[in-house]
């Protein structure tokens, strides 16, 4: 009997150990990156992926059960469900560059285009000369599209470009043969990796459409900002009224749905969508997506969008991506690869002043998106138990019922305060915080932002009278020179945490309270439109400009387009006023806030000179940051050996100079290409950073029909005797018609930051 019990216990122990081993060996989605594809036939590429898995898993059935995606157009690789040990085994195969776990990404207008000077009324304008972007195809990776929006009507469109290989997939409430047209020419969705990671999408728990249809409106907003058709008399809750349109109203749009409500954006899905978009024939890729710091090296396949973007750029496709919404903290910027055009967000010259009149007849102007009706004089209170906006729920309802509530917060605004006051029977909310430009739309409930100074004035009034009262009027729309431009608080900041010598962001564009189309399912929808803020909204503004430049200069490389945008940017706002950067304290914006500055579309058409680059330049960059010869060879699909000594990262031909660790003196090189008048002479103008000497040789560049490229050296030395933070300046080449300016950022490091054994 005892033997039986012992044997039974032993058997149960074995069973439990086996079960535990299965728990330990749980499968996850891994991406097996193989670099440049070795076959032009996509079926042959896929078959090679199956063979790799077959050698590991042992059967065709196991391969089909494991594989999620085969990347076979822009590059070679696959996503598969693997255990950690299986992933390790595959990583040791000689043909494999890297095996990495799946990554999750986050998603990060009637006035914008007039503010930036892109007007359809002038026959000589960029918009007219570029024919509205017609015949250019932009790929948008986001949450999908609401195809019924009038912003996607194809009135006046000719045939779809014959080079287009993409199509429209059907699914939940989306019929590819009906919902696509000559404007919306592509619509696909990618969910397999998301399902493999989190289980099959349960639409009851995670309401969404298994189709390209957009449930929350983010992708619709982005796509319509890039290329929405003209739509007159559009407003949002009666505010910002005007003609809505995208930056390139004639562009063809292809939508790739990679982000899912409440489940985010799977990196493997994003990579597959980029692979498909390259094959389909897009001319530009727009990604309003971000990852969080710490970042992987931009040449590391774990930084999935950078890897996909490299292959796109190598094929001449510019990639525009969001800087991220983790500002104003330094070194929070994402999408930092030098081949990506990374976009920061600013406000524009439009605001929504909202009059707050106190019982002592003093009127204060706050900011709100409040359509009314006007709230007559009612009781005003500051909950003394807790006036912190995030802790209003700790106050009794009676303290807020029938009153307008004042609260203070130092954190990013949330809807919790509005919900608390509304649920308590409150009539409105005045929130004191910095900045005041991030607004939440509310119907029949005033929610007004003021800064801390004005909030304190209101608080003093409340405490000085027995029965404080307040009147809140409906918001008005104000635009023009009286409204200053600022880098938005949320916009992620440099310097680049991966490669500090690569300036990021590259450029800034309006991304605050942008009015564009949205899904009617959205809680902030008003007649199919909404105002949204984020670098997600600034990115399509730049993408729209890239469409127009691509239309006018189809032979320009992605780096040429980036250079034209960066070197012609405004470093003041369009009216000549300085651009500030919002944060814990407001300061003048610098290159780590806005890159080259605020995008200036009309100037970017004729930059005069460009700082151009090819894939070879990016290879030298990889060598300079110690990427191995084997990995570079796999990425390129050909044998590559880095030179010895390795190149300097400071010599990468960027339209910027960033020196993160200057000790003594350094000399670097840049090359410019003349794209202006054939016979041109440019002279250098230097605005050196404080305490830094900058000398350029030669000081004059002469171009003619036989000399279109000229190189120059820049010698930089410091007069500082101690370690410093960054100081900023600029280097400009001018022919009195074009001013080709690049930012210069220098940090002196007399004492080394790392111990040098030598």
């Amino acid at each position: 009997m005892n033997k039986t019990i012992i044997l039974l216990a032993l058997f149960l122990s074995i069973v439990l150990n086996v079960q535990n081993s299965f728990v330990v060996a749980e499968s996850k989605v891994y991406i097996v990156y193989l670099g440049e594809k070795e076959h032009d036939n996509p079926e042959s590429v896929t078959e090679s992926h199956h063979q790799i898995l077959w050698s590991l898993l042992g059967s065709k059935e196991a391969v089909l059960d494991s594989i999620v995606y085969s990347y076979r157009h822009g590059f070679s690789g696959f996503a598969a469900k693997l255990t950690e040990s299986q992933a390790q085994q595959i990583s040791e195969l000689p043909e494999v560059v890297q095996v990495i776990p799946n990554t999750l990404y986050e998603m990060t207008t009637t006035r914008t285009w007039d503010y930036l000077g892109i007007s359809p009324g002038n026959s000589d304008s960029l918009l007219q000369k570029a024919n509205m972007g017609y015949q250019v195809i932009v790929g948008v990776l986001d949450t999908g599209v609401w195809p019924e929006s009038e912003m996607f009507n194809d009135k006046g469109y000719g045939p779809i470009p014959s080079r287009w290989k993409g199509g429209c997939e059907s699914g939940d409430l989306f019929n590819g043969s009906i919902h696509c047209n000559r404007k919306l020419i592509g619509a696909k969705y990618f969910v397999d990796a998301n399902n493999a990671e989190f289980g099959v999408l349960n639409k009851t728990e995670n309401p969404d459409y298994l189709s390209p249809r957009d449930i929350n409106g983010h992708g619709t907003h982005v796509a319509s900002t890039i290329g929405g058709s003209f739509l007159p008399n559009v407003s949002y809750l009666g505010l910002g009224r005007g003609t809505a349109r995208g930056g390139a109203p004639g562009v063809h749009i292809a939508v790739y749905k990679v982000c899912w409500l409440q489940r985010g954006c799977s990196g493997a899905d994003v990579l597959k969508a980029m692979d498909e978009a390259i094959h389909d024939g897009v001319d530009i890729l727009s990604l309003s997506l971000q990852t969080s710091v710490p970042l992987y090296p931009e040449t590391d396949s774990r930084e999935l969008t950078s890897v996909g973007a490299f292959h796109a750029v190598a094929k001449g496709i510019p990639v525009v991506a969001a800087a991220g919404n983790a500002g104003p903290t330094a070194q929070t910027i994402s999408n930092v690869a030098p081949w990506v055009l990374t976009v920061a967000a600013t406000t524009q010259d439009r605001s929504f002043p909202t009059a707050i009149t106190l019982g002592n007849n003093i009127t204060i102007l706050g900011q709100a998106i409040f359509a009314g009706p006007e709230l007559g004089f009612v009781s005003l209170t500051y909950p003394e138990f807790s006036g912190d906006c995030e802790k209003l729920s700790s106050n009794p309802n009676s303290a807020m019922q029938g009153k307008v509530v004042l609260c203070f917060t130092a954190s990013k605004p949330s809807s919790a305060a509005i919900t608390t006051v509304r649920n308590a029977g409150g009539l409105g909310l005045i929130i004191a915080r910095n900045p005041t430009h991030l607004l939440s739309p509310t119907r029949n409930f005033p929610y007004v932002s003021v800064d801390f100074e004005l909030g304190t004035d209101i608080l003093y009034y409340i405490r000085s009278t027995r029965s404080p009262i307040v009147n809140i009027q409906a918001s008005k729309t104000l635009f023009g020179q009286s409204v200053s431009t600022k880098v938005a608080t949320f916009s992620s900041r440099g310097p680049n945490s991966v490669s500090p010598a690569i300036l990021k962001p590259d450029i800034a564009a309006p991304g605050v309270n942008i009015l564009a189309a949205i899904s009617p399912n959205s809680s902030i929808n008003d007649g199919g439109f909404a105002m949204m803020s984020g670098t997600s909204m600034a990115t399509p503004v730049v993408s729209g400009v890239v469409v127009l430049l691509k239309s006018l200069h189809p032979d320009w490389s992605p780096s040429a387009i980036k250079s034209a945008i960066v070197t012609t940017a405004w470093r003041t706002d369009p009216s000549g006023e300085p651009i500030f950067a919002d944060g814990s304290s407001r300061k003048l914006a610098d290159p780590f806030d806005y890159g080259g500055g605020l995008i200036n579309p009309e100037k970017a058409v004729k930059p005069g000179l460009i700082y151009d680059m090819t894939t070879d330049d990016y290879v030298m960059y990889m060598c300079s940051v110690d990427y191995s010869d084997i990995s570079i060879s796999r990425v390129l699909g050909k044998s590559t050996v880095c030179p010895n000594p390795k190149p300097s990262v400071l010599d990468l031909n960027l339209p910027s100079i960033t020196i993160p660790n200057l000790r003594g003196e350094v000399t670097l090189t840049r090359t410019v290409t003349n794209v202006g008048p054939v016979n041109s002479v440019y002279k250098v103008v230097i605005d050196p950073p404080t305490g830094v000497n900058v000398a350029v040789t030669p000081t004059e560049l002469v171009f003619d029909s036989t000399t279109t490229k000229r190189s120059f050296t820049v010698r930089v030395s410091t007069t500082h005797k101690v370690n410093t933070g960054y100081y900023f300046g600029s280097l400009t080449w001018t022919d009195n018609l074009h001013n080709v300016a690049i930012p210069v950022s220098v940090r002196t490091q007399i004492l080394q930051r790392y111990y040098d054994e030598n």
Side-chain angles (χ1 to χ4, degrees):
M1 187 68 166
N2 288 338
K3 289 183 179 179
T4 303
I5 293 173
I6 291 171
L7 288 171
L8 180 60
L10 181 61
F11 172 75
L12 289 173
S13 175
I14 292 171
V15 170
L16 289 172
N17 284 335
V18 171
Q19 289 176 333
N20 287 337
S21 71
F22 282 119
V23 173
V24 172
E26 179 185 2
S27 293
K28 295 182 179 180
V29 176
Y30 288 85
I31 295 163
V32 180
Y33 180 59
L34 304 171
E36 189 66 32
K37 64 183 189 292
E38 296 180 359
H39 308 280
D40 290 331
N41 185 340
E43 298 305 323
S44 298
V45 177
T46 297
E47 181 59 31
S48 69
H49 299 161
H50 286 190
Q51 289 173 2
I52 291 174
L53 278 174
W54 191 311
S55 68
L56 174 74
L57 302 177
S59 72
K60 181 179 180 180
E61 291 74 17
V63 169
L64 294 177
D65 183 59
S66 171
I67 197 162
V68 178
Y69 287 124
S70 177
Y71 307 121
R72 57 188 193 168
H73 299 301
F75 46 90
S76 180
F78 58 89
K81 291 178 287 184
L82 301 168
T83 65
E84 187 175 348
S85 63
Q86 289 169 339
Q88 178 61 35
Q89 291 177 61
I90 286 185
S91 70
E92 295 170 357
L93 297 175
E95 64 267 39
V96 173
V97 175
Q98 196 167 23
V99 177
I100 48 97
N102 192 23
T103 306
L104 287 179
Y105 288 76
E106 301 171 1
M107 291 171 287
T108 30
T109 142
T110 57
R111 177 60 187 166
T112 303
W113 304 110
D114 290 337
Y115 168 64
L116 294 177
I118 302 182
S119 172
N122 181 358
S123 61
D124 197 40
S125 71
L126 168 59
L127 198 61
Q128 296 293 353
K129 287 187 291 188
N131 198 19
M132 310 284 179
Y134 180 60
Q135 288 293 301
V136 178
I137 303 169
V138 62
V140 182
L141 276 66
D142 215 288
T143 62
V145 65
W146 193 265
E148 290 86 357
S149 171
E150 275 299 304
M151 294 289 278
F152 302 116
N153 79 71
D154 64 353
K155 295 173 185 174
Y157 269 71
I160 296 170
S162 59
R163 68 184 187 281
W164 177 242
K165 301 176 185 176
C168 293
E169 296 177 349
S170 297
D172 291 349
L173 296 180
F174 196 98
N175 186 324
S177 62
I178 295 175
H179 289 124
C180 285
N181 55 26
R182 290 170 296 176
K183 183 186 193 75
L184 182 63
I185 64 173
K188 297 181 179 181
Y189 65 103
F190 302 83
V191 72
D192 290 355
N194 207 306
N195 283 342
E197 193 80 44
F198 301 111
V200 176
L201 183 70
N202 184 323
K203 290 187 288 184
T204 301
E205 297 176 358
N206 300 288
D208 209 327
Y209 301 107
L210 277 174
S211 74
R213 185 171 291 277
D214 182 11
I215 194 165
N216 78 348
H218 189 277
T220 301
H221 197 281
V222 166
S224 63
T225 300
I226 296 173
S229 299
F230 287 88
L231 206 59
N233 199 32
V234 170
S235 67
Y236 184 58
L237 299 176
L239 298 171
R241 188 173 299 278
T243 297
R245 63 179 172 88
V251 72
H252 300 281
I253 299 172
V255 168
Y256 300 84
K257 181 175 178 178
V258 295
C259 299
W260 301 84
L261 191 65
Q262 300 178 18
R263 291 176 61 153
C265 325
S266 165
D269 289 332
V270 172
L271 200 60
K272 179 61 175 176
M274 295 179 79
D275 185 45
E276 287 287 316
I278 292 169
H279 173 261
D280 289 345
V282 302
D283 299 307
I284 295 151
L285 278 171
S286 184
L287 286 73
S288 289
L289 310 174
Q290 69 174 64
T291 52
S292 302
V293 291
L295 305 175
Y296 293 106
E298 61 271 74
T299 48
D300 190 314
S301 55
R302 285 170 288 191
E303 193 66 27
L304 295 174
T305 55
S306 294
V307 172
F310 175 84
H311 290 282
V313 169
K315 291 173 172 59
I317 302 170
V319 178
V320 187
N325 298 333
T329 305
Q331 296 184 307
T332 52
I333 194 159
S334 61
N335 293 313
V336 297
W339 44 83
V340 172
L341 180 53
T342 308
V343 184
T346 70
T347 62
Q348 53 187 320
D349 66 339
R350 181 177 65 189
S351 65
F352 304 103
T354 306
I356 303 168
T357 303
L358 306 178
N360 58 6
N361 288 325
I362 291 178
T363 297
I364 290 171
L365 287 180
Q367 290 287 319
I369 301 176
F370 172 52
E374 177 180 338
L375 186 65
F377 280 101
V378 297
S379 293
L380 173 65
T381 187
Y382 173 75
E384 296 290 351
F385 183 78
S386 179
D388 185 331
C389 297
E390 308 307 312
K391 299 178 181 178
L392 287 178
S393 58
S394 62
N395 295 284
N397 286 351
S398 59
M400 298 180 280
Q401 187 173 9
K403 302 173 183 176
V404 171
V405 176
L406 170 70
C407 70
F408 289 74
T409 183
S411 61
K412 186 177 179 179
S414 69
S415 60
I418 301 174
T419 302
T420 298
V421 175
R422 267 186 150 161
N423 290 344
L427 300 179
L429 178 66
I430 300 172
I431 182 169
R433 59 180 170 85
N434 275 319
T436 60
H437 57 250
L438 293 178
L439 308 177
S440 295
T442 53
R443 291 179 173 86
N444 304 314
F445 183 88
Y447 167 53
V448 189
S449 291
V450 296
D451 63 23
F452 287 123
E453 181 181 348
L454 294 178
T456 302
D457 289 342
I458 297 171
L459 179 59
Y460 285 170
Y461 161 71
I462 292 172
R463 288 176 171 170
S464 68
T465 185
R466 185 184 299 271
S467 302
I469 55 175
V470 66
N471 166 278
I472 301 179
Q473 298 179 23
S475 303
K476 300 183 183 301
T477 302
L478 176 68
F479 61 87
Q481 295 185 11
S482 59
V483 183
S484 65
T485 301
K486 300 177 288 292
V487 176
T489 305
F490 58 76
S491 186
S492 291
R493 306 298 210 267
N496 184 334
S497 64
V498 173
S499 293
I502 307 300
L503 177 65
K504 291 291 173 175
D506 294 301
I507 196 68
V512 175
N513 300 326
I514 303 300
L515 180 58
I518 201 165
S519 163
N521 291 314
S522 171
S523 61
I524 58 173
N525 164 58
D526 179 43
F529 289 85
M531 285 186 184
M532 297 178 70
S533 299
T535 53
S536 283
M537 281 63 251
T539 299
V541 172
V542 174
S543 297
V545 175
V546 172
V547 167
L548 300 178
L549 294 179
K550 190 77 172 176
S551 177
L552 279 172
H553 302 290
D555 57 329
W556 277 11
S557 69
S559 59
I561 289 173
K562 178 198 282 191
S563 175
I565 287 172
V566 172
T567 60
T568 59
W570 281 298
R571 282 175 287 172
T572 63
D573 73 8
S575 65
E577 293 297 319
I579 298 175
F580 285 86
D582 267 344
S584 55
S585 61
R586 186 175 297 175
K587 67 178 183 66
L588 281 172
D590 61 50
F592 293 152
D593 301 313
Y594 63 12
L598 176 66
I599 192 168
N600 185 344
E602 290 287 350
K603 287 287 187 183
V605 182
K606 297 179 179 180
L609 305 176
I610 56 172
Y611 293 77
D612 206 358
M613 284 187 282
T614 66
T615 303
D616 289 341
D617 293 290
Y618 296 128
V619 171
M620 289 300 101
Y621 166 72
M622 295 183 209
C623 291
S624 74
V625 294
D626 294 323
Y627 209 41
S628 72
D629 292 349
I630 294 174
S631 294
I632 295 174
S633 299
R634 285 290 178 190
V635 170
L636 298 176
K638 61 183 180 181
S639 179
T640 302
V641 178
C642 288
N644 187 19
K646 70 178 183 181
S648 169
V649 68
L650 297 180
D651 287 329
L652 186 64
N653 204 42
L654 292 167
S656 60
I657 295 172
T658 307
I659 306 174
N661 297 298
L662 178 61
R663 287 195 298 160
E665 182 177 293
V666 67
T667 299
L668 54 95
T669 302
R670 290 289 185 273
T671 300
V672 289
T673 302
N674 183 25
V675 293
V678 173
N679 297 305
S680 299
V681 178
Y682 284 83
K683 295 183 179 181
V684 71
V685 177
I686 301 169
D687 177 20
T690 301
V692 175
N693 296 318
V694 179
V696 174
T697 305
T699 58
E700 185 176 274
L701 302 178
V702 179
F703 299 93
D704 54 33
S705 58
T706 60
T707 305
T708 58
K709 292 180 183 288
R710 291 294 305 270
S711 295
F712 60 93
T713 61
V714 184
R715 189 173 74 252
V716 184
S717 60
T718 180
T719 62
H720 294 289
K721 305 301 182 185
V722 297
N723 288 5
T724 70
Y726 280 93
Y727 288 98
F728 304 98
S730 63
L731 188 161
T732 304
W733 290 103
T734 180
D735 66 349
N736 295 322
L737 177 63
H738 306 92
N739 294 306
V740 188
I742 64 173
V744 178
S745 312
V746 179
R747 179 174 63 181
T748 299
Q749 292 287 291
I750 302 300
L751 297 175
Q752 296 182 74
R753 303 177 70 202
Y754 304 102
Y755 178 68
D756 186 347
E757 293 181 349
N758 298 321

